[in-house]
Amino acid sequence: QKEVEQDPGPLSVPEGAIVSLNCTYSNSAFQYFMWYRQYSRKGPELLMYTYSSGNKEDGRFTAQVDKSSKYISLFIRDSQPSDSATYLCAMNGSGKLTFGQGTILTVHP
Amino acid sequence: ETGVTQSPTHLIKTRGQQVTLRCSSQSGHNTVSWYQQALGQGPQFIFQYYREEENGRGNFPPRFSGLQFPNYSSELNVNALELDDSALYLCASSETSLVAFEQFFGPGTRLTVL
């Protein structure tokens, strides 16, 4: 069993839709939870990170962590075609990042 | 402020050859981590260097080795290349190894092994 599981999709939504991306994990030692966005042929860029259970909002993005269920989510409101990318969840344990497989998101006009 | 840069952008090697990939960390960052990202997969941690010393290693064989220089730039060396080594190799730098959640990634080097 992988330490971090992420549905690879692909996910295709119309512009303006609310997108929900999810990951589950098995390692209780993970302390930080991150979401990265990766455009084609580019390196991942950090979108958001959280430490504790609960919600964290940044513009159209909301990150949610439930440590008791070992489940994290990223919500994108009013999705735009420019949001089309691969979204990677990642978790930090002792300095290294453990990534999910990534979800390919396409937002069509 | 200069971001993380990697060279070369892409290269093609044949099985059994050796390759060296290079990374310049972001200004002020003393920690460099290397990741391998196979097609359709998330990045996999190879190893991390902190102040020129290896500071953690993932599940990769010894033919994957690295160096970090006094200016905190880094190299990843892979010997005896195998077909499965074909991937995007990502370098990420951070201010410290202690709380490394803010790792800034370079654009990657795409390696193809024939």
Side-chain angles (χ1 to χ4, degrees), chain A residues 1 21 38 80 97:
Chain A
Q1 182 189 9
L21 305 168
Q38 186 175 26
Q80 303 294 311
L97 295 178

Side-chain angles (χ1 to χ4, degrees), chain A residues 96-97, chain B residues 34-38 42-48 54 56-65 76-78 82 84-90:
Chain A
K96 72 168 191 176
L97 295 178
Chain B
W34 285 91
Y35 295 83
Q36 179 196 67
Q37 186 176 23
Q44 298 288 313
F45 176 73
I46 303 174
F47 44 56
Q48 181 182 86
E54 188 177 290
R57 188 179 183 93
N59 189 26
F60 281 81
R63 59 190 185 84
F64 286 79
S65 63
L76 164 65
N77 299 290
V78 187
E82 300 177 1
D84 284 348
D85 295 334
S86 295
L88 181 68
Y89 287 85
L90 294 162

Side-chain angles (χ1 to χ4, degrees), chain B:
Chain B
E1 184 180 86
T2 305
V4 179
T5 60
Q6 293 187 243
S7 62
T9 305
H10 58 270
L11 72 167
I12 300 173
K13 293 285 188 178
T14 56
R15 194 170 48 182
Q17 286 189 309
Q18 179 265 342
V19 68
T20 297
L21 311 181
R22 294 178 176 84
C23 170
S24 291
S25 59
Q26 188 164 314
S27 176
H29 289 186
N30 60 20
T31 302
V32 172
S33 304
W34 285 91
Y35 295 83
Q36 179 196 67
Q37 186 176 23
L39 196 63
Q41 301 295 317
Q44 298 288 313
F45 176 73
I46 303 174
F47 44 56
Q48 181 182 86
Y49 278 83
Y50 170 64
R51 293 189 174 182
E52 303 178 57
E53 296 287 330
E54 188 177 290
N55 183 47
R57 188 179 183 93
N59 189 26
F60 281 81
R63 59 190 185 84
F64 286 79
S65 63
L67 281 174
Q68 188 180 31
F69 301 99
N71 65 355
Y72 302 133
S73 65
S74 178
E75 284 183 355
L76 164 65
N77 299 290
V78 187
N79 293 323
L81 284 167
E82 300 177 1
L83 298 179
D84 284 348
D85 295 334
S86 295
L88 181 68
Y89 287 85
L90 294 162
C91 164
S93 74
S94 51
E95 286 186 35
T96 174
S97 66
L98 298 177
V99 182
F101 54 83
E102 287 208 82
Q103 294 192 9
F104 295 86
F105 283 82
T109 294
R110 185 162 299 281
L111 172 65
T112 301
V113 182
L114 302 176

Side-chain angles (χ1 to χ4, degrees), chain A residues 4 7 15 22 26 33 35 41 45 53 57-60 63-64 68 70 72-74 77 87 91:
Chain A
V4 180
D7 186 342
E15 184 174 354
N22 311 292
S26 57
F33 306 89
W35 286 94
R41 300 186 181 278
E45 60 173 324
S53 286
E57 193 171 311
D58 184 1
R60 296 185 295 111
Q64 190 174 78
S68 62
K70 295 189 175 65
I72 70 169
S73 300
L74 178 71
R77 291 184 298 280
Y87 289 80
M91 303 180 192

